[in-house]
Amino acid sequence: MAQLSVVSGSVGLITLQNPPVNALSAAVRQGIIDTVETALRDPKVKCAVICGQNGVFCGGADIKEFGTKITGPHLIPMIHAIEAGNKPVVAAIEGSALGGGLELALGCHYRVAHSKARLGLPEVTLGLLPAAAGSQRLPRLIGVPAALNLITTGRHVTAAEALQLGIVDQVTDHDTVDVAVKFALSVAGQSLDARRISTFPCPRPAEMDALFEDAMQKVRKSARGAIAPVACVQAVRAAATLPYAEGLERERELMATLFTSGQARALQYCFFAQRAVGRWSTPSGARWDTSKPVPVRKAAVIGLGTMGRGIAVALAQTGLSVVAVETEEKQMMEAKQAVSGMLERGAKRRGAAPVSDRIIYSGNIRAVADVDLVIEAVFEDMALKEKLFQQLSAVCKPGALLCTNTSALDVDHLASQTRNPELVVGMHFFAPAHVMKLLEVVYGRRSSPQAVATAMQLGKKMGKVSVAVGNCRGFVGNRMLKPYIEQAFYLLEEGATPELVDQVLEEFGFSMGVFRMSDLSGLDVGWRVRKGDGLVETGLASGPSARVRQGRRYSPLGDLLCEQGRFGQKTGRGWYQYEKPGGRVARSDPWLHSFLEGYRARHGLVARRIDHEEVLERCLYALINEGFHILEEGIAAAPEDIDIIYVFGYGWPRHRGGPMFYASMVGLARVLERLEHYHQAHPDVPHLQPCSLLRRLVASGSPPIHKWREVIKKLHSQL
């Protein structure tokens, strides 16, 4: 709702009231219409100020209304009524003015913002565009290039940048409503002809066609198949080339297409899923709302390789005191330099002072004796980590949390090396750790609810999207990645090329296909793991046994490339070739193509034509099938957990919602049918055998994704 009071004798103060962010629900929209009408009619009221309660102007449309039949008054006529009124209306922006909130402010005649406020039109991130005339008013106010930038990215701007761009008229450090009231009184009685943005001509850039062509190309490249950014460009183009009323009609048409699209559903699902993963639970009954985190003021990182450095930076930027331990002198010197550079760049980006003084370096493990929490990021070797956890258990103060950044090793086994296994959890960061948003928090069989809650809360403080998962080989993300990569290898054996596989996956929306990704992260990483598992046999063995391990199909292609010293970008050769070691631009490699031909000939494999659909189905459905196993085993509590891990940690295109959401969109029966088809063709690949949970969901009539939990619960109660 909205409340009207008269202040300073003649100012109508309209306060939006819909906590927490004063979203524009039907009741709020009706409230604005009623209070504005009253203020415009009341002869005592000479001008008006619109503000939001609790220090937030307005967070935009009420996303809970999406997907339902929207009732109540529409935003556009409501905003037009404010703009067309004969008394000046000032928006007093505190906290945030986002989406419909900023569109409401653009309908006001003046805008005053608090210096800490943030403004933006983030609709594109939900698969939509600003459809309450935002795409038409903003270019008229700040010009086409700046409006394109804000609308196609959805980024938020600070009050200072908003002032510079011309979105707001004044920025204040004082009480924003007081300043806005004084401002309103100072303009009361003045003509409003020059203040109604919808009547402004849109500034026409000199090379307009070229500008829009360039914008469209950039957007298509970065959007990777998302349709909303493209529609945003088209809407701004309408503002630049059509009269306001016609531009508004074009905005409405484009929005109608987006609103019902599968992509908008996927992006909105992601929005809610990101919030849902914070409400974690474990099979033992620990929950987010009943588990109290322990305060963490001082933390330690052990091992200052790439990962340890990123974690140290992320902790320091969170405001903690950090002890960074590295026993190798050379590594320590390099790490100090790298960390201070990362902190300086981060501070510059945030416009804050560097926090290098928060980190103390030491070559001695005893330096961690008084910390509240330790994260080890040493080399991925079980014997090394066992020894370290034994030491930590002896050195750390009672109650200190011991966390491992392992990406696949057994957290329960590491916990068994300590005196207090309940204090051990996994905190699996993704490289670079100070940039990547995802954190997998891995609870072991004996991890206490407090330990899980503390790791989850620390992740949140670090700005991470933290997901609680159970302990198994590879946890959620890496475990699902294994069958995906295996299928890509098998496709090469059967006649595909790295270029074909990567092209199909990149057209789907991944920023990198399997083989470009492998070259970037280094082929030797997986090779080392496979050696540790006893899967690697050296030499060019031929015959059936060369492609079988433990009774199932195995592709030694990655091992053979590593034996040739082809580790990817770092050596200038991998699945592709690069101009030099460390080069970034992947080029097709004739050597690799003839190597694949020789490999197939040696193993009696006949290359066949593989189409795009088969590449996509085999790679994605094998990954999705593993996701169903993870849900069935209770390693992830819900499909949202898996989807958020894949969107934030593995480059799954957000506009496709995540692997499990994608399966529900394709149709579970279709996924099941294709898995059965491929498993029949490749009976020696267990990952293609459909999971019993998938079969059960299909037998239950393929319920919508938010109902899967009920089927999973029923399954668990029967086991």
Side-chain angles (χ1 to χ4, degrees):
M1 53 181 279
Q3 195 174 31
L4 173 65
S5 56
V6 178
V7 297
S8 297
S10 62
V11 182
L13 181 63
I14 295 167
T15 307
L16 311 187
Q17 298 174 325
N18 183 16
V21 295
N22 302 317
L24 294 164
S25 63
V28 173
R29 297 195 301 274
Q30 190 59 58
I32 294 171
I33 287 172
D34 296 343
T35 50
V36 168
E37 258 176 32
T38 306
L40 290 174
R41 265 203 322 267
D42 187 339
K44 286 199 304 294
V45 173
K46 303 295 180 221
C47 50
V49 169
I50 299 180
C51 68
Q53 70 173 11
N54 299 331
V56 179
F57 179 69
C58 176
D62 189 346
I63 193 171
K64 292 198 286 290
E65 289 186 353
F66 292 9
T68 61
K69 185 153 176 44
I70 293 179
T71 55
H74 284 275
L75 268 178
I76 292 179
M78 175 194 95
I79 295 170
H80 275 156
I82 294 168
E83 188 184 61
N86 56 1
K87 296 176 185 177
V89 180
V90 180
I93 300 169
E94 292 179 301
S96 55
L98 300 173
L102 181 54
E103 290 174 301
L104 167 64
L106 292 172
C108 297
H109 306 108
Y110 300 92
R111 286 155 294 284
V112 173
H114 189 270
S115 57
K116 290 204 162 66
R118 297 184 79 77
L119 299 85
L121 294 170
E123 287 85 350
V124 69
T125 63
L126 294 173
L128 305 171
L129 54 75
S135 73
Q136 303 305 297
R137 279 197 179 92
L138 193 64
R140 284 176 161 78
L141 182 64
I142 66 170
V144 168
L148 272 173
N149 173 276
L150 290 194
I151 293 171
T152 59
T153 62
R155 75 183 180 91
H156 300 179
V157 297
T158 60
E161 191 182 348
L163 182 67
Q164 200 184 352
L165 288 168
I167 299 174
V168 299
D169 302 289
Q170 191 180 331
V171 171
T172 180
D173 282 323
H174 303 292
D175 184 306
T176 315
V177 175
D178 282 356
V179 174
V181 166
K182 289 192 184 84
F183 189 102
L185 286 167
S186 74
V187 294
Q190 291 180 17
S191 164
L192 295 172
D193 291 347
R195 302 303 309 175
R196 297 184 178 104
I197 299 172
S198 70
T199 65
F200 292 9
C202 187
R204 290 174 73 96
E207 300 288 325
M208 194 163 66
D209 286 345
L211 176 89
F212 278 107
E213 192 53 52
D214 183 47
M216 193 59 100
Q217 269 181 342
K218 272 192 192 133
V219 153
R220 281 191 202 282
K221 193 176 175 193
S222 62
R224 306 203 306 265
I227 54 177
V230 172
C232 288
V233 176
Q234 292 168 324
V236 173
R237 185 173 194 129
T241 55
L242 300 171
Y244 177 76
E246 288 176 38
L248 203 56
E249 181 53 31
R250 181 77 179 118
E251 178 189 85
R252 191 193 63 74
E253 287 166 7
L254 289 163
M255 179 62 162
T257 311
L258 294 176
F259 200 73
T260 53
S261 70
Q263 288 195 9
R265 272 171 59 199
L267 286 157
Q268 287 155 35
Y269 162 82
C270 269
F271 176 86
F272 288 115
Q274 195 178 332
R275 281 141 190 81
V277 296
R279 300 190 287 276
W280 56 272
S281 63
T282 71
S284 65
R287 290 165 52 92
W288 67 282
D289 51 352
T290 56
S291 307
K292 206 170 154 45
V294 178
V296 176
R297 293 181 187 89
K298 190 171 186 182
V301 179
I302 299 182
L304 294 178
T306 309
M307 212 54 162
R309 295 169 193 182
I311 296 169
V313 167
L315 288 167
Q317 286 175 341
T318 308
L320 301 181
S321 301
V322 182
V323 178
V325 178
E326 174 54 66
T327 51
E328 272 187 41
E329 189 60 36
K330 185 171 177 282
Q331 179 97 301
M332 171 75 91
M333 298 311 293
E334 287 171 4
K336 274 186 181 175
Q337 213 175 346
V339 166
S340 75
M342 282 145 85
L343 287 170
E344 265 170 44
R345 288 192 295 276
K348 202 181 264 177
R349 250 197 328 274
R350 292 195 317 278
V355 287
S356 305
D357 56 344
R358 292 211 183 116
I359 303 182
I360 296 163
Y361 295 91
S362 175
N364 189 338
I365 190 134
R366 296 197 172 281
V368 308
D370 64 339
V371 303
D372 305 307
L373 176 143
V374 181
I375 301 171
E376 69 76 15
V378 300
F379 194 66
E380 195 77 335
D381 175 79
M382 186 55 103
L384 178 65
K385 288 185 192 276
E386 281 174 355
K387 189 174 165 219
L388 179 59
F389 270 82
Q390 290 160 13
Q391 287 176 305
L392 289 172
S393 192
V395 168
C396 289
K397 69 180 184 186
L401 245 68
L402 308 181
C403 308
T404 171
N405 175 53
T406 179
S407 56
L409 298 178
D410 186 347
V411 172
D412 285 321
H413 180 72
L414 290 174
S416 74
Q417 306 299 303
T418 69
R419 293 170 191 170
N420 300 96
E422 72 280 3
L423 297 173
V424 177
V425 288
M427 286 184 81
H428 177 211
F429 291 84
F430 289 73
H434 60 302
V435 176
M436 289 291 277
K437 292 279 282 185
L438 180 68
L439 174 66
E440 274 183 321
V441 172
V442 187
Y443 53 85
R445 268 200 311 276
R446 296 172 68 181
S447 303
S448 72
Q450 290 79 8
V452 180
T454 305
M456 289 293 283
Q457 191 192 48
L458 180 58
K460 190 178 180 180
K461 278 189 180 158
M462 293 164 96
K464 305 292 180 200
V465 179
S466 307
V467 185
V469 300
N471 176 39
C472 65
R473 179 74 188 267
F475 316 131
V476 170
N478 285 343
R479 174 173 162 180
M480 287 171 67
L481 201 61
K482 190 170 179 267
Y484 167 81
I485 293 169
E486 276 179 3
Q487 286 304 316
F489 280 23
Y490 300 157
L491 286 160
L492 291 193
E493 292 186 339
E494 293 163 38
T497 60
E499 291 83 347
L500 169 74
V501 174
D502 284 353
Q503 182 200 344
V504 171
L505 294 168
E506 286 163 21
E507 281 172 4
F508 177 77
F510 283 101
S511 54
M512 279 188 175
V514 171
F515 297 106
R516 279 181 59 211
M517 192 68 226
S518 172
D519 273 1
L520 173 67
S521 53
L523 278 72
D524 51 325
V525 178
W527 191 36
R528 208 166 40 237
V529 174
R530 293 191 297 275
K531 275 179 172 171
D533 292 342
L535 295 171
V536 175
E537 293 175 7
T538 48
L540 295 172
S542 57
S545 67
R547 293 173 45 250
V548 175
R549 300 286 186 279
Q550 297 153 2
R552 54 178 68 182
R553 182 172 172 183
Y554 177 81
S555 172
L557 283 172
D559 307 336
L560 297 172
L561 258 59
C562 287
E563 281 174 27
Q564 299 274 340
R566 296 175 71 101
F567 296 157
Q569 288 185 6
K570 61 176 95 169
T571 57
R573 297 270 184 283
W575 299 103
Y576 296 93
Q577 58 178 333
Y578 300 84
E579 68 278 14
K580 61 177 192 295
R584 291 295 170 93
V585 182
R587 294 198 314 272
S588 183
D589 190 344
W591 179 91
L592 188 99
H593 289 234
S594 59
F595 162 77
L596 287 173
E597 281 169 22
Y599 173 88
R600 293 185 198 115
R602 197 164 54 253
H603 293 284
L605 299 166
V606 180
R608 59 185 177 84
R609 200 186 146 275
I610 291 171
D611 63 19
H612 285 213
E613 188 179 41
E614 183 179 350
V615 172
L616 205 57
E617 288 182 342
R618 280 178 60 183
C619 289
L620 299 190
Y621 294 175
L623 176 141
I624 287 164
N625 195 42
E626 197 62 30
F628 281 114
H629 283 295
I630 282 167
L631 289 172
E632 187 175 55
E633 294 165 26
I635 297 293
E640 289 88 344
D641 296 334
I642 293 174
D643 287 337
I644 288 300
I645 284 170
Y646 261 79
V647 166
F648 284 96
Y650 292 86
W652 184 281
R654 194 191 276 245
H655 61 269
R656 295 193 188 270
M660 308 323 282
F661 180 86
Y662 177 70
S664 74
M665 291 288 273
V666 168
L668 298 183
R670 166 79 183 168
V671 175
L672 174 61
E673 183 265 313
R674 297 315 288 157
L675 280 167
E676 282 174 334
H677 165 80
Y678 290 121
H679 188 237
Q680 217 169 350
H682 307 281
D684 53 353
V685 182
H687 285 304
L688 293 173
Q689 182 164 15
C691 171
S692 56
L693 173 60
L694 171 58
R695 289 188 187 282
R696 185 171 285 233
L697 284 163
V698 172
S700 310
S702 298
I705 195 161
H706 61 273
K707 295 268 177 73
W708 290 7
R709 265 188 183 213
E710 294 162 28
V711 179
I712 296 164
K713 261 190 197 143
K714 210 179 277 180
L715 189 71
H716 287 167
S717 66
Q718 288 166 2
L719 291 173

